[in-house]
Amino acid sequence: MSSNPGKYYRIIDLGTCIGCGACEAVCDFIHNGHPYIKVYRTELGLEIPVSCMHCAKAPCIDVCPTGAMTRDSEGAVYVVASKCIGCMACLYACPFGIPELDRSLRISTKCDLCMDQRRNGLEPGCSSICPAGAIIYGEEALVFDKAKKKTAEAMARARFETL
């Protein structure tokens, strides 16, 4: 990462995800037993990872009365624990139900895209460990270019299979 970072994104490509749970396991390890990405088994039998979307217009940031829910210079939404009063406004505002209340500390917690690792020039654990390459992390243009390429590949495979 550069000394003057731009906007970074993480995209989870559900079409590529194999549902192995490696992302959840590494997050659980990095965050001492509290994973911020969780793999859920759906009624269709698919394993789907769910984590913070780090929304461009994050409702959790908008409703936080103390400014505890904020964004870092790379675009990750995170909680400043010392400012959080545990009001749970962010929990109710998030359309994905992502922030959680740490009941012992009475503060909100959520994915911060492995802030400590990023400070040391590393990727978030989930994207670096994903064996299928389904979790893409990087600078805005690179991530969207990779996502478009994956879409083109999927469309080409679908077309080839129908011929």
Side-chain angles (χ1 to χ4, degrees):
M1 286 187 216
S2 64
S3 59
N4 186 13
K7 182 113 175 161
Y8 282 70
Y9 285 93
R10 177 191 60 184
I11 294 176
I12 302 173
D13 178 359
L14 299 178
T16 303
C17 177
I18 60 174
C20 67
C23 55
E24 183 175 359
V26 74
C27 189
D28 184 67
F29 177 77
I30 291 169
H31 299 287
N32 300 315
H34 192 85
Y36 295 116
I37 186 169
K38 295 178 183 164
V39 179
Y40 293 94
R41 183 172 191 87
T42 66
E43 289 181 14
L44 297 173
L46 299 173
E47 306 283 337
I48 304 294
V50 177
S51 184
C52 181
M53 305 290 282
H54 300 276
C55 303
K57 293 183 179 184
C60 60
I61 291 174
D62 293 342
V63 301
C64 183
T66 63
M69 194 67 71
T70 189
R71 185 181 311 277
D72 70 17
S73 63
E74 293 180 3
V77 176
Y78 71 102
V79 180
V80 178
S82 63
K83 290 183 175 182
C84 183
I85 59 173
C87 69
M88 302 192 307
C90 59
L91 282 72
Y92 296 115
C94 178
F96 306 104
I98 297 300
E100 296 177 0
L101 183 68
D102 180 315
R103 297 204 182 276
S104 62
L105 299 174
R106 298 285 305 159
I107 61 170
S108 292
T109 62
K110 61 171 289 308
C111 171
D112 61 9
L113 287 177
C114 294
M115 186 180 286
D116 291 338
Q117 285 190 206
R118 291 184 295 114
R119 283 184 185 138
N120 291 311
L122 301 171
E123 284 185 35
C126 60
S127 61
S128 64
I129 200 80
C130 180
I135 302 176
I136 306 166
Y137 175 79
E139 291 186 78
E140 181 178 14
L142 176 67
V143 167
F144 287 121
D145 190 50
K146 282 184 181 181
K148 289 174 193 171
K149 186 174 187 320
K150 283 180 170 254
T151 300
E153 292 292 337
M155 291 166 75
R157 275 192 304 280
R159 183 173 181 205
F160 178 76
E161 290 170 2
T162 60
L163 294 178

